[in-house]
Amino acid sequence: MMNASAASVHTLLVVEDDAQIRDFLQLSLRAAGYVPLLARTLAEALQLWQDKQPAMLILDLGLPDGDGLSLIKTLRARSDRPILVLSARQSEQDKVQCLNQGADDYLAKPFGVDELLARIRVALRRMERMQLRDQRYQVEALQIDLADGLVRLHGEALHLSPLEYKLLMQLAQHAGRVMTHRQLLQAVWGAEYVDDTHYLRIHMGRLRAKIERDPAAPRYLITELGIGYRLAAS
Amino acid sequence: MMNASAASVHTLLVVEDDAQIRDFLQLSLRAAGYVPLLARTLAEALQLWQDKQPAMLILDLGLPDGDGLSLIKTLRARSDRPILVLSARQSEQDKVQCLNQGADDYLAKPFGVDELLARIRVALRRMERMQLRDQRYQVEALQIDLADGLVRLHGEALHLSPLEYKLLMQLAQHAGRVMTHRQLLQAVWGAEYVDDTHYLRIHMGRLRAKIERDPAAPRYLITELGIGYRLAAS
DNA sequence: TGGCCGGTATATCAACCGCATAAACGCGCG
DNA sequence: CGCGCGTTTATGCGGTTGATATACCGGCCA
């Protein structure tokens, strides 16, 4: 059985110029089960944001190379992900300005780790509710709602096992493109199972039995010989 | 600063026992274009919440007639609307506890009006993105009124324990969609109970005993193996 | 054409894990 | 004290999973 917590590992972008605080944040976040990405400057932050697409931003104001507010505005324009601002400044005006520009929360230094973690949790919790909203995949009679966690065939829901569901979601997220055996095994079973293509065959078979009208001549779940599998695109 | 347009006038429930602060909040909020509803006690608050369905809750901790935390848990179990906590207590533990139980923000006294307004704006802004769903749920003989908190089976109201009620409301709010064990535990028991799935099983069983005609073959309360539960949609 | 072979699909079955249910316990409250 | 409710403990059941075995299918070559 796969690890449940592995599914909800969040990547957090931390923008902080002070090396000491940066280390402190890195350790705390990692200890709490997150994957922190560290940036020292706004430019670096923007790069990482686009590159890694972290779940949220933790931004320390007062960076050397520019105004933190501009980063908030920029990111808010592109994404709905949570932004939490840390700052040494206590002034109400600063807070109001940040919040108005699109920040979701503002935490003044000095703060406790526990409060920081709690506020991160709040932000992520809320985001998860909104996030899976309009992700939907459809080809012919097969329809996959990631939001509802439902898979429909000719309109009526069909029942998948957790593993089959994971597998199908994985394919649906890269619909139309080939996913290699290794990729699928890595994503569904974990890194240790990367070579056991055997598992894949079995469960692909079971998936086809439920999804395909004629499993011997699959219309949705295409096998790419010697490479992997692919979910047909519209 | 411009006012929110008249089209989006928001009703805010303010729970505050100190008359002076209450007046102050009332005036400030009204001046900012909101419609404040005032409550002195938890009972009153609960009543107004069900009655008027305000857009969010602003809760002062330390009320005379009970624990504010319980109100947070109760409301969070029934609704996704924002909860902002005000408190004289500065301790980190208080903050963490509130945030874990489902509060969206925590503002320690003394605070400035502008910051309060900014944080309210953030909460409402975010909420508007999430579309609230219908306040009534019905499938076949099962009918749930989220507004007045009534559950009917074949037309006649049936009695649920507070916990069963919370559980069912939570499911009804996301009717048709799978709710994970973690989500349900977080919403009903709190963030600390996120891993105790056995609580869920037991109380789901009791819910089914009251709701389902044949609990062994549930029609409304569907279990999604390895994932969570789902209230069947029409 | 027929046989071999790598890669792939299906069948069967046992072990295990997650789930449901029952029943006992503890606690607050009238 | 007895009642209602939430928690804890115990136990049986069924679905899911993965191991093993067997059948398939196309390409290649003699």
PDB file of all heavy atoms in Angstrom, chain D residues 14-26:
ATOM      1  P    DG D  14     -18.540 -11.776   3.785  1.00  0.00           P
ATOM      2  OP1  DG D  14     -19.969 -11.787   3.441  1.00  0.00           O
ATOM      3  OP2  DG D  14     -17.737 -13.020   3.760  1.00  0.00           O
ATOM      4  O5'  DG D  14     -17.831 -10.718   2.852  1.00  0.00           O
ATOM      5  C5'  DG D  14     -18.213  -9.343   2.936  1.00  0.00           C
ATOM      6  C4'  DG D  14     -17.187  -8.518   2.209  1.00  0.00           C
ATOM      7  O4'  DG D  14     -15.948  -8.521   2.973  1.00  0.00           O
ATOM      8  C3'  DG D  14     -16.844  -9.047   0.819  1.00  0.00           C
ATOM      9  O3'  DG D  14     -16.968  -7.968  -0.101  1.00  0.00           O
ATOM     10  C2'  DG D  14     -15.406  -9.562   0.944  1.00  0.00           C
ATOM     11  C1'  DG D  14     -14.861  -8.774   2.112  1.00  0.00           C
ATOM     12  N9   DG D  14     -13.866  -9.480   2.907  1.00  0.00           N
ATOM     13  C8   DG D  14     -13.940 -10.767   3.365  1.00  0.00           C
ATOM     14  N7   DG D  14     -12.899 -11.115   4.075  1.00  0.00           N
ATOM     15  C5   DG D  14     -12.094  -9.988   4.066  1.00  0.00           C
ATOM     16  C6   DG D  14     -10.833  -9.765   4.676  1.00  0.00           C
ATOM     17  O6   DG D  14     -10.163 -10.553   5.351  1.00  0.00           O
ATOM     18  N1   DG D  14     -10.359  -8.478   4.429  1.00  0.00           N
ATOM     19  C2   DG D  14     -11.026  -7.526   3.688  1.00  0.00           C
ATOM     20  N2   DG D  14     -10.434  -6.346   3.554  1.00  0.00           N
ATOM     21  N3   DG D  14     -12.210  -7.724   3.127  1.00  0.00           N
ATOM     22  C4   DG D  14     -12.675  -8.971   3.357  1.00  0.00           C
ATOM     23  P    DG D  15     -16.759  -8.183  -1.644  1.00  0.00           P
ATOM     24  OP1  DG D  15     -17.958  -7.680  -2.349  1.00  0.00           O
ATOM     25  OP2  DG D  15     -16.260  -9.548  -1.887  1.00  0.00           O
ATOM     26  O5'  DG D  15     -15.580  -7.143  -1.907  1.00  0.00           O
ATOM     27  C5'  DG D  15     -15.675  -5.851  -1.334  1.00  0.00           C
ATOM     28  C4'  DG D  15     -14.342  -5.165  -1.388  1.00  0.00           C
ATOM     29  O4'  DG D  15     -13.394  -5.866  -0.536  1.00  0.00           O
ATOM     30  C3'  DG D  15     -13.715  -5.119  -2.784  1.00  0.00           C
ATOM     31  O3'  DG D  15     -13.196  -3.816  -2.977  1.00  0.00           O
ATOM     32  C2'  DG D  15     -12.632  -6.195  -2.750  1.00  0.00           C
ATOM     33  C1'  DG D  15     -12.255  -6.280  -1.277  1.00  0.00           C
ATOM     34  N9   DG D  15     -11.938  -7.632  -0.792  1.00  0.00           N
ATOM     35  C8   DG D  15     -12.694  -8.757  -0.971  1.00  0.00           C
ATOM     36  N7   DG D  15     -12.192  -9.821  -0.406  1.00  0.00           N
ATOM     37  C5   DG D  15     -11.019  -9.370   0.189  1.00  0.00           C
ATOM     38  C6   DG D  15     -10.046 -10.065   0.945  1.00  0.00           C
ATOM     39  O6   DG D  15     -10.030 -11.256   1.254  1.00  0.00           O
ATOM     40  N1   DG D  15      -9.015  -9.239   1.354  1.00  0.00           N
ATOM     41  C2   DG D  15      -8.931  -7.884   1.079  1.00  0.00           C
ATOM     42  N2   DG D  15      -7.866  -7.245   1.544  1.00  0.00           N
ATOM     43  N3   DG D  15      -9.840  -7.215   0.373  1.00  0.00           N
ATOM     44  C4   DG D  15     -10.849  -8.019  -0.037  1.00  0.00           C
ATOM     45  P    DT D  16     -12.524  -3.424  -4.359  1.00  0.00           P
ATOM     46  OP1  DT D  16     -12.821  -1.992  -4.564  1.00  0.00           O
ATOM     47  OP2  DT D  16     -12.930  -4.439  -5.355  1.00  0.00           O
ATOM     48  O5'  DT D  16     -10.966  -3.566  -4.073  1.00  0.00           O
ATOM     49  C5'  DT D  16     -10.423  -2.903  -2.939  1.00  0.00           C
ATOM     50  C4'  DT D  16      -8.990  -3.333  -2.726  1.00  0.00           C
ATOM     51  O4'  DT D  16      -8.937  -4.702  -2.254  1.00  0.00           O
ATOM     52  C3'  DT D  16      -8.102  -3.279  -3.970  1.00  0.00           C
ATOM     53  O3'  DT D  16      -6.988  -2.465  -3.686  1.00  0.00           O
ATOM     54  C2'  DT D  16      -7.753  -4.740  -4.240  1.00  0.00           C
ATOM     55  C1'  DT D  16      -7.838  -5.353  -2.845  1.00  0.00           C
ATOM     56  N1   DT D  16      -8.107  -6.818  -2.788  1.00  0.00           N
ATOM     57  C2   DT D  16      -7.246  -7.640  -2.083  1.00  0.00           C
ATOM     58  O2   DT D  16      -6.248  -7.239  -1.520  1.00  0.00           O
ATOM     59  N3   DT D  16      -7.607  -8.972  -2.075  1.00  0.00           N
ATOM     60  C4   DT D  16      -8.706  -9.545  -2.682  1.00  0.00           C
ATOM     61  O4   DT D  16      -8.926 -10.750  -2.601  1.00  0.00           O
ATOM     62  C5   DT D  16      -9.559  -8.619  -3.402  1.00  0.00           C
ATOM     63  C7   DT D  16     -10.776  -9.133  -4.094  1.00  0.00           C
ATOM     64  C6   DT D  16      -9.225  -7.317  -3.421  1.00  0.00           C
ATOM     65  P    DT D  17      -5.973  -2.111  -4.828  1.00  0.00           P
ATOM     66  OP1  DT D  17      -5.456  -0.768  -4.538  1.00  0.00           O
ATOM     67  OP2  DT D  17      -6.587  -2.409  -6.137  1.00  0.00           O
ATOM     68  O5'  DT D  17      -4.790  -3.156  -4.562  1.00  0.00           O
ATOM     69  C5'  DT D  17      -4.214  -3.235  -3.270  1.00  0.00           C
ATOM     70  C4'  DT D  17      -3.365  -4.478  -3.146  1.00  0.00           C
ATOM     71  O4'  DT D  17      -4.200  -5.653  -3.217  1.00  0.00           O
ATOM     72  C3'  DT D  17      -2.316  -4.648  -4.252  1.00  0.00           C
ATOM     73  O3'  DT D  17      -1.036  -4.593  -3.656  1.00  0.00           O
ATOM     74  C2'  DT D  17      -2.618  -6.027  -4.865  1.00  0.00           C
ATOM     75  C1'  DT D  17      -3.437  -6.698  -3.775  1.00  0.00           C
ATOM     76  N1   DT D  17      -4.402  -7.724  -4.262  1.00  0.00           N
ATOM     77  C2   DT D  17      -4.324  -9.006  -3.764  1.00  0.00           C
ATOM     78  O2   DT D  17      -3.502  -9.345  -2.951  1.00  0.00           O
ATOM     79  N3   DT D  17      -5.274  -9.872  -4.265  1.00  0.00           N
ATOM     80  C4   DT D  17      -6.260  -9.590  -5.194  1.00  0.00           C
ATOM     81  O4   DT D  17      -7.056 -10.440  -5.564  1.00  0.00           O
ATOM     82  C5   DT D  17      -6.275  -8.223  -5.677  1.00  0.00           C
ATOM     83  C7   DT D  17      -7.293  -7.803  -6.672  1.00  0.00           C
ATOM     84  C6   DT D  17      -5.355  -7.375  -5.192  1.00  0.00           C
ATOM     85  P    DG D  18       0.222  -4.243  -4.558  1.00  0.00           P
ATOM     86  OP1  DG D  18       1.114  -3.422  -3.717  1.00  0.00           O
ATOM     87  OP2  DG D  18      -0.203  -3.763  -5.869  1.00  0.00           O
ATOM     88  O5'  DG D  18       0.904  -5.676  -4.728  1.00  0.00           O
ATOM     89  C5'  DG D  18       1.256  -6.383  -3.569  1.00  0.00           C
ATOM     90  C4'  DG D  18       1.500  -7.845  -3.893  1.00  0.00           C
ATOM     91  O4'  DG D  18       0.262  -8.487  -4.286  1.00  0.00           O
ATOM     92  C3'  DG D  18       2.473  -8.095  -5.061  1.00  0.00           C
ATOM     93  O3'  DG D  18       3.225  -9.247  -4.751  1.00  0.00           O
ATOM     94  C2'  DG D  18       1.530  -8.393  -6.220  1.00  0.00           C
ATOM     95  C1'  DG D  18       0.484  -9.206  -5.478  1.00  0.00           C
ATOM     96  N9   DG D  18      -0.784  -9.360  -6.155  1.00  0.00           N
ATOM     97  C8   DG D  18      -1.423  -8.463  -6.968  1.00  0.00           C
ATOM     98  N7   DG D  18      -2.566  -8.921  -7.434  1.00  0.00           N
ATOM     99  C5   DG D  18      -2.666 -10.191  -6.891  1.00  0.00           C
ATOM    100  C6   DG D  18      -3.676 -11.164  -7.030  1.00  0.00           C
ATOM    101  O6   DG D  18      -4.716 -11.084  -7.692  1.00  0.00           O
ATOM    102  N1   DG D  18      -3.391 -12.319  -6.307  1.00  0.00           N
ATOM    103  C2   DG D  18      -2.263 -12.505  -5.544  1.00  0.00           C
ATOM    104  N2   DG D  18      -2.153 -13.672  -4.914  1.00  0.00           N
ATOM    105  N3   DG D  18      -1.311 -11.598  -5.399  1.00  0.00           N
ATOM    106  C4   DG D  18      -1.581 -10.476  -6.098  1.00  0.00           C
ATOM    107  P    DA D  19       4.669  -9.524  -5.395  1.00  0.00           P
ATOM    108  OP1  DA D  19       5.689  -9.111  -4.424  1.00  0.00           O
ATOM    109  OP2  DA D  19       4.696  -8.987  -6.768  1.00  0.00           O
ATOM    110  O5'  DA D  19       4.673 -11.109  -5.471  1.00  0.00           O
ATOM    111  C5'  DA D  19       4.308 -11.862  -4.322  1.00  0.00           C
ATOM    112  C4'  DA D  19       4.055 -13.309  -4.700  1.00  0.00           C
ATOM    113  O4'  DA D  19       2.694 -13.434  -5.185  1.00  0.00           O
ATOM    114  C3'  DA D  19       4.967 -13.842  -5.810  1.00  0.00           C
ATOM    115  O3'  DA D  19       5.459 -15.129  -5.456  1.00  0.00           O
ATOM    116  C2'  DA D  19       4.078 -13.918  -7.030  1.00  0.00           C
ATOM    117  C1'  DA D  19       2.684 -14.052  -6.447  1.00  0.00           C
ATOM    118  N9   DA D  19       1.692 -13.371  -7.264  1.00  0.00           N
ATOM    119  C8   DA D  19       1.771 -12.089  -7.752  1.00  0.00           C
ATOM    120  N7   DA D  19       0.729 -11.729  -8.450  1.00  0.00           N
ATOM    121  C5   DA D  19      -0.093 -12.844  -8.436  1.00  0.00           C
ATOM    122  C6   DA D  19      -1.352 -13.100  -8.982  1.00  0.00           C
ATOM    123  N6   DA D  19      -2.034 -12.203  -9.705  1.00  0.00           N
ATOM    124  N1   DA D  19      -1.894 -14.323  -8.778  1.00  0.00           N
ATOM    125  C2   DA D  19      -1.214 -15.205  -8.046  1.00  0.00           C
ATOM    126  N3   DA D  19      -0.017 -15.082  -7.466  1.00  0.00           N
ATOM    127  C4   DA D  19       0.481 -13.869  -7.700  1.00  0.00           C
ATOM    128  P    DT D  20       6.532 -15.842  -6.413  1.00  0.00           P
ATOM    129  OP1  DT D  20       7.401 -16.610  -5.511  1.00  0.00           O
ATOM    130  OP2  DT D  20       7.092 -14.848  -7.349  1.00  0.00           O
ATOM    131  O5'  DT D  20       5.656 -16.855  -7.258  1.00  0.00           O
ATOM    132  C5'  DT D  20       4.638 -17.625  -6.607  1.00  0.00           C
ATOM    133  C4'  DT D  20       3.789 -18.326  -7.651  1.00  0.00           C
ATOM    134  O4'  DT D  20       2.829 -17.391  -8.193  1.00  0.00           O
ATOM    135  C3'  DT D  20       4.589 -18.850  -8.855  1.00  0.00           C
ATOM    136  O3'  DT D  20       4.361 -20.240  -9.014  1.00  0.00           O
ATOM    137  C2'  DT D  20       4.066 -18.052 -10.038  1.00  0.00           C
ATOM    138  C1'  DT D  20       2.681 -17.657  -9.563  1.00  0.00           C
ATOM    139  N1   DT D  20       2.154 -16.425 -10.201  1.00  0.00           N
ATOM    140  C2   DT D  20       0.873 -16.433 -10.707  1.00  0.00           C
ATOM    141  O2   DT D  20       0.144 -17.399 -10.643  1.00  0.00           O
ATOM    142  N3   DT D  20       0.484 -15.250 -11.286  1.00  0.00           N
ATOM    143  C4   DT D  20       1.227 -14.093 -11.411  1.00  0.00           C
ATOM    144  O4   DT D  20       0.781 -13.094 -11.946  1.00  0.00           O
ATOM    145  C5   DT D  20       2.567 -14.160 -10.864  1.00  0.00           C
ATOM    146  C7   DT D  20       3.459 -12.972 -10.952  1.00  0.00           C
ATOM    147  C6   DT D  20       2.959 -15.313 -10.293  1.00  0.00           C
ATOM    148  P    DA D  21       5.107 -21.068 -10.180  1.00  0.00           P
ATOM    149  OP1  DA D  21       5.353 -22.431  -9.669  1.00  0.00           O
ATOM    150  OP2  DA D  21       6.217 -20.259 -10.720  1.00  0.00           O
ATOM    151  O5'  DA D  21       3.960 -21.148 -11.269  1.00  0.00           O
ATOM    152  C5'  DA D  21       2.657 -21.584 -10.890  1.00  0.00           C
ATOM    153  C4'  DA D  21       1.709 -21.430 -12.065  1.00  0.00           C
ATOM    154  O4'  DA D  21       1.409 -20.040 -12.262  1.00  0.00           O
ATOM    155  C3'  DA D  21       2.277 -21.951 -13.399  1.00  0.00           C
ATOM    156  O3'  DA D  21       1.361 -22.869 -13.985  1.00  0.00           O
ATOM    157  C2'  DA D  21       2.458 -20.700 -14.238  1.00  0.00           C
ATOM    158  C1'  DA D  21       1.415 -19.780 -13.649  1.00  0.00           C
ATOM    159  N9   DA D  21       1.712 -18.353 -13.836  1.00  0.00           N
ATOM    160  C8   DA D  21       2.851 -17.686 -13.480  1.00  0.00           C
ATOM    161  N7   DA D  21       2.834 -16.400 -13.780  1.00  0.00           N
ATOM    162  C5   DA D  21       1.593 -16.230 -14.372  1.00  0.00           C
ATOM    163  C6   DA D  21       0.959 -15.089 -14.901  1.00  0.00           C
ATOM    164  N6   DA D  21       1.518 -13.882 -14.931  1.00  0.00           N
ATOM    165  N1   DA D  21      -0.281 -15.250 -15.411  1.00  0.00           N
ATOM    166  C2   DA D  21      -0.842 -16.475 -15.383  1.00  0.00           C
ATOM    167  N3   DA D  21      -0.334 -17.600 -14.897  1.00  0.00           N
ATOM    168  C4   DA D  21       0.892 -17.410 -14.401  1.00  0.00           C
ATOM    169  P    DT D  22       1.779 -23.666 -15.343  1.00  0.00           P
ATOM    170  OP1  DT D  22       1.231 -25.013 -15.203  1.00  0.00           O
ATOM    171  OP2  DT D  22       3.219 -23.440 -15.612  1.00  0.00           O
ATOM    172  O5'  DT D  22       0.941 -22.915 -16.457  1.00  0.00           O
ATOM    173  C5'  DT D  22      -0.454 -22.666 -16.246  1.00  0.00           C
ATOM    174  C4'  DT D  22      -0.941 -21.675 -17.287  1.00  0.00           C
ATOM    175  O4'  DT D  22      -0.384 -20.365 -17.017  1.00  0.00           O
ATOM    176  C3'  DT D  22      -0.540 -22.008 -18.724  1.00  0.00           C
ATOM    177  O3'  DT D  22      -1.713 -22.096 -19.525  1.00  0.00           O
ATOM    178  C2'  DT D  22       0.349 -20.847 -19.142  1.00  0.00           C
ATOM    179  C1'  DT D  22      -0.172 -19.746 -18.249  1.00  0.00           C
ATOM    180  N1   DT D  22       0.763 -18.608 -18.071  1.00  0.00           N
ATOM    181  C2   DT D  22       0.365 -17.354 -18.478  1.00  0.00           C
ATOM    182  O2   DT D  22      -0.726 -17.132 -18.972  1.00  0.00           O
ATOM    183  N3   DT D  22       1.307 -16.366 -18.279  1.00  0.00           N
ATOM    184  C4   DT D  22       2.569 -16.514 -17.724  1.00  0.00           C
ATOM    185  O4   DT D  22       3.307 -15.556 -17.600  1.00  0.00           O
ATOM    186  C5   DT D  22       2.910 -17.850 -17.329  1.00  0.00           C
ATOM    187  C7   DT D  22       4.247 -18.114 -16.714  1.00  0.00           C
ATOM    188  C6   DT D  22       2.001 -18.834 -17.508  1.00  0.00           C
ATOM    189  P    DA D  23      -1.594 -22.565 -21.064  1.00  0.00           P
ATOM    190  OP1  DA D  23      -2.653 -23.564 -21.297  1.00  0.00           O
ATOM    191  OP2  DA D  23      -0.187 -22.866 -21.395  1.00  0.00           O
ATOM    192  O5'  DA D  23      -2.012 -21.231 -21.833  1.00  0.00           O
ATOM    193  C5'  DA D  23      -3.303 -20.665 -21.590  1.00  0.00           C
ATOM    194  C4'  DA D  23      -3.366 -19.282 -22.226  1.00  0.00           C
ATOM    195  O4'  DA D  23      -2.309 -18.482 -21.639  1.00  0.00           O
ATOM    196  C3'  DA D  23      -3.127 -19.281 -23.743  1.00  0.00           C
ATOM    197  O3'  DA D  23      -4.080 -18.423 -24.347  1.00  0.00           O
ATOM    198  C2'  DA D  23      -1.706 -18.759 -23.874  1.00  0.00           C
ATOM    199  C1'  DA D  23      -1.629 -17.814 -22.683  1.00  0.00           C
ATOM    200  N9   DA D  23      -0.269 -17.522 -22.224  1.00  0.00           N
ATOM    201  C8   DA D  23       0.664 -18.409 -21.763  1.00  0.00           C
ATOM    202  N7   DA D  23       1.811 -17.862 -21.414  1.00  0.00           N
ATOM    203  C5   DA D  23       1.608 -16.506 -21.667  1.00  0.00           C
ATOM    204  C6   DA D  23       2.433 -15.385 -21.512  1.00  0.00           C
ATOM    205  N6   DA D  23       3.685 -15.456 -21.049  1.00  0.00           N
ATOM    206  N1   DA D  23       1.920 -14.182 -21.852  1.00  0.00           N
ATOM    207  C2   DA D  23       0.671 -14.124 -22.318  1.00  0.00           C
ATOM    208  N3   DA D  23      -0.201 -15.101 -22.500  1.00  0.00           N
ATOM    209  C4   DA D  23       0.331 -16.278 -22.154  1.00  0.00           C
ATOM    210  P    DC D  24      -4.227 -18.424 -25.923  1.00  0.00           P
ATOM    211  OP1  DC D  24      -5.672 -18.318 -26.209  1.00  0.00           O
ATOM    212  OP2  DC D  24      -3.416 -19.539 -26.476  1.00  0.00           O
ATOM    213  O5'  DC D  24      -3.543 -17.055 -26.356  1.00  0.00           O
ATOM    214  C5'  DC D  24      -4.103 -15.819 -25.912  1.00  0.00           C
ATOM    215  C4'  DC D  24      -3.122 -14.707 -26.182  1.00  0.00           C
ATOM    216  O4'  DC D  24      -1.879 -15.003 -25.499  1.00  0.00           O
ATOM    217  C3'  DC D  24      -2.737 -14.519 -27.669  1.00  0.00           C
ATOM    218  O3'  DC D  24      -3.336 -13.310 -28.134  1.00  0.00           O
ATOM    219  C2'  DC D  24      -1.209 -14.433 -27.648  1.00  0.00           C
ATOM    220  C1'  DC D  24      -0.873 -14.261 -26.170  1.00  0.00           C
ATOM    221  N1   DC D  24       0.461 -14.810 -25.764  1.00  0.00           N
ATOM    222  C2   DC D  24       1.522 -13.925 -25.616  1.00  0.00           C
ATOM    223  O2   DC D  24       1.354 -12.710 -25.822  1.00  0.00           O
ATOM    224  N3   DC D  24       2.749 -14.408 -25.246  1.00  0.00           N
ATOM    225  C4   DC D  24       2.908 -15.723 -25.024  1.00  0.00           C
ATOM    226  N4   DC D  24       4.122 -16.142 -24.658  1.00  0.00           N
ATOM    227  C5   DC D  24       1.830 -16.636 -25.166  1.00  0.00           C
ATOM    228  C6   DC D  24       0.638 -16.147 -25.532  1.00  0.00           C
ATOM    229  P    DC D  25      -3.561 -13.189 -29.740  1.00  0.00           P
ATOM    230  OP1  DC D  25      -5.011 -13.052 -29.952  1.00  0.00           O
ATOM    231  OP2  DC D  25      -2.803 -14.252 -30.432  1.00  0.00           O
ATOM    232  O5'  DC D  25      -2.868 -11.812 -30.097  1.00  0.00           O
ATOM    233  C5'  DC D  25      -2.070 -11.123 -29.139  1.00  0.00           C
ATOM    234  C4'  DC D  25      -0.775 -10.640 -29.766  1.00  0.00           C
ATOM    235  O4'  DC D  25       0.346 -11.303 -29.109  1.00  0.00           O
ATOM    236  C3'  DC D  25      -0.609 -10.943 -31.263  1.00  0.00           C
ATOM    237  O3'  DC D  25      -0.143  -9.781 -31.909  1.00  0.00           O
ATOM    238  C2'  DC D  25       0.419 -12.058 -31.291  1.00  0.00           C
ATOM    239  C1'  DC D  25       1.281 -11.670 -30.092  1.00  0.00           C
ATOM    240  N1   DC D  25       2.115 -12.772 -29.541  1.00  0.00           N
ATOM    241  C2   DC D  25       3.397 -12.472 -29.056  1.00  0.00           C
ATOM    242  O2   DC D  25       3.797 -11.311 -29.100  1.00  0.00           O
ATOM    243  N3   DC D  25       4.161 -13.491 -28.545  1.00  0.00           N
ATOM    244  C4   DC D  25       3.675 -14.729 -28.511  1.00  0.00           C
ATOM    245  N4   DC D  25       4.451 -15.697 -27.997  1.00  0.00           N
ATOM    246  C5   DC D  25       2.365 -15.047 -28.995  1.00  0.00           C
ATOM    247  C6   DC D  25       1.623 -14.047 -29.503  1.00  0.00           C
ATOM    248  P    DG D  26      -0.469  -9.571 -33.514  1.00  0.00           P
ATOM    249  OP1  DG D  26      -1.542  -8.583 -33.625  1.00  0.00           O
ATOM    250  OP2  DG D  26      -0.607 -10.914 -34.138  1.00  0.00           O
ATOM    251  O5'  DG D  26       0.871  -8.935 -34.062  1.00  0.00           O
ATOM    252  C5'  DG D  26       1.420  -7.781 -33.415  1.00  0.00           C
ATOM    253  C4'  DG D  26       2.925  -7.920 -33.392  1.00  0.00           C
ATOM    254  O4'  DG D  26       3.264  -9.109 -32.634  1.00  0.00           O
ATOM    255  C3'  DG D  26       3.548  -8.098 -34.784  1.00  0.00           C
ATOM    256  O3'  DG D  26       4.370  -6.980 -35.072  1.00  0.00           O
ATOM    257  C2'  DG D  26       4.357  -9.395 -34.703  1.00  0.00           C
ATOM    258  C1'  DG D  26       4.403  -9.706 -33.212  1.00  0.00           C
ATOM    259  N9   DG D  26       4.326 -11.137 -32.914  1.00  0.00           N
ATOM    260  C8   DG D  26       3.296 -11.991 -33.220  1.00  0.00           C
ATOM    261  N7   DG D  26       3.513 -13.213 -32.821  1.00  0.00           N
ATOM    262  C5   DG D  26       4.765 -13.166 -32.221  1.00  0.00           C
ATOM    263  C6   DG D  26       5.519 -14.195 -31.611  1.00  0.00           C
ATOM    264  O6   DG D  26       5.228 -15.384 -31.466  1.00  0.00           O
ATOM    265  N1   DG D  26       6.733 -13.713 -31.126  1.00  0.00           N
ATOM    266  C2   DG D  26       7.155 -12.405 -31.221  1.00  0.00           C
ATOM    267  N2   DG D  26       8.340 -12.137 -30.709  1.00  0.00           N
ATOM    268  N3   DG D  26       6.460 -11.428 -31.793  1.00  0.00           N
ATOM    269  C4   DG D  26       5.271 -11.884 -32.263  1.00  0.00           C
TER     270       DG D  26
END
